Every structure is written in structure tokens, then in C-alpha cells.
Amino acid sequence: LAKTTQPISMDSYEGQEVNITCSHNNIATNDYITWYQQFPSQGPRFIIQGYKTKVTNEVASLFIPADRKSSTLSLPRVSLSDTAVYYCLVGARTGGYNKLIFGAGTRLAVHP
Amino acid sequence: EPEVTQTPSHQVTQMGQEVILRCVPISNHLYFYWYRQILGQKVEFLVSFYNNEISEKSEIFDDQFSVERPDGSNFTLKIRSTKLEDSAMYFCASTTDRGQDEQFFGPGTRLTVL
């Protein structure tokens, strides 16, 4: 499993775009990049997953450069309710029973 | 929208007692997991379960822990003799496909061991 590095914490204000970058220098060819969100006292929640280039859904966008050694989760126009911990996970999607390995994540605080 | 449910939401027990944490995964899911999160720490994998048997377990999941799917809907985690360090949030998760990273987590059970 590729090791990931992301900022411990970030601060933002309502209405701003937030970009959280994750480094994964040892990503393997068949690894995918997945982001989860966790609100206080709740279980993690899947946000988005990608392999390369750009993926967008109703919640976020995920940007992955060609070398795939990093990825950026982009949250457009955050609100107070986006205050949470965001986890970047890297691992193979195929084969094996996919346990999720969480790091410390990035604690995002959105201020009024 | 279907969701994973867990009961109880909070369990307080005395050290050495047995506890059973219950989960009802999403109905068409086939792969089940337990994770725990000690207060202020990261989410840790405990065990995965498929086709009525454990498929993988972590070092944390020692002989004090067991899992069971007693019927077609429930998935339980039993801790035989609780220790103070078992105090944590325990999350159940499920997914349809072992290759799919979108695991659906329950709201968790907060276990407090006194």
C-alpha cells in the first residue's frame, strides 16, 4: 500500500474553494486514489475516486497529474458543513479483500 | 437511501465484561468490515468478513474478538473480556464488491470501558 502524506489541518472561509493535496510518491500502477470525509462522531463517507486526470462528481473534483505521485481534492465554495477530516487513501481496487488503511487525514475547518 | 445501522449508539461496560456490538449492513452487500477509532486517533481496520468467514484480520483483532453473521441481516462484533484500551468508536462497514473502495460506514458505537 502506498504511503500518503497530506497536511494535518487547513482553514478556510465559507464560499471559498478548498484544495487539499495528497502526496503518494510510491503509488503502484494498479493503485487508485480514494478520498473519504469524516464528520465528528460519524463514520467515514466516500467522496470520490480516480485513477488519472480529473474526476468530478456533485461533491468534489479530484485532480491527478500524469505522474500520479500526488492528487488534489477540490471542494468548491465550501460551507460550514464541510468542516470535517478528509482522508486520502491509495490502493489497488482489484484482488484481495479491500480493507481501508486510513492515515491521520486533513482536518478542515471552515469559518463564517 | 439504504444505510448501515449500528446498535447501540453508546455502550458502557466494566472491564472484563463481554460486549456485543451489532450492525445491520446494507441488504445486498456481501462484504463486511469492522473498524475502530480511539478518540483523537485514526480509523483502524479490525476485520473483514465474506461468505460467513473472516477474510482478513489485523493485529488488533486478537483472540478476545470475534465476528459473526448469525442471520441474514445482522453482523456482530464480540469482545469477550473488555479492557480499558478497548474504549473507542467501532464502525461497521459494508460493500457490494471486494474490488470496490466505496465502503459504506455505519454511524458507529461508542464503547466506554470503565
Side-chain angles (χ1 to χ4, degrees), chain B residues 41-54:
Chain B
Q41 298 188 23
K42 60 185 181 182
V43 178
E44 300 174 290
F45 167 77
L46 291 179
V47 65
S48 57
F49 190 87
Y50 169 71
N51 199 25
N52 283 319
E53 60 182 30
I54 290 173

Side-chain angles (χ1 to χ4, degrees), chain B residues 7-101:
Chain B
T7 55
S9 56
H10 191 189
Q11 174 92 47
V12 181
T13 190
Q14 295 290 326
M15 190 169 54
Q17 294 296 304
E18 175 183 286
V19 295
I20 297 176
L21 310 183
R22 291 183 167 80
C23 168
V24 178
I26 294 172
S27 62
N28 64 338
H29 285 187
L30 301 175
Y31 301 87
F32 314 113
Y33 311 83
W34 283 101
Y35 294 82
R36 81 170 186 189
Q37 186 173 33
I38 295 170
L39 185 63
Q41 298 188 23
K42 60 185 181 182
V43 178
E44 300 174 290
F45 167 77
L46 291 179
V47 65
S48 57
F49 190 87
Y50 169 71
N51 199 25
N52 283 319
E53 60 182 30
I54 290 173
S55 38
E56 186 175 359
K57 58 184 180 180
S58 71
E59 293 177 354
I60 302 168
F61 195 90
D62 61 21
D63 292 343
Q64 295 299 313
F65 291 87
S66 62
V67 289
E68 193 177 35
R69 188 154 162 83
D71 52 43
S73 59
N74 290 285
F75 179 48
T76 63
L77 174 69
K78 181 192 291 186
I79 309 175
R80 287 190 189 80
S81 177
T82 51
K83 309 188 219 15
L84 295 176
E85 55 265 36
D86 293 328
S87 294
M89 282 287 284
Y90 288 81
F91 296 108
C92 172
S94 67
T95 188
T96 55
D97 179 347
R98 67 182 183 182
Q100 173 59 267
D101 285 328

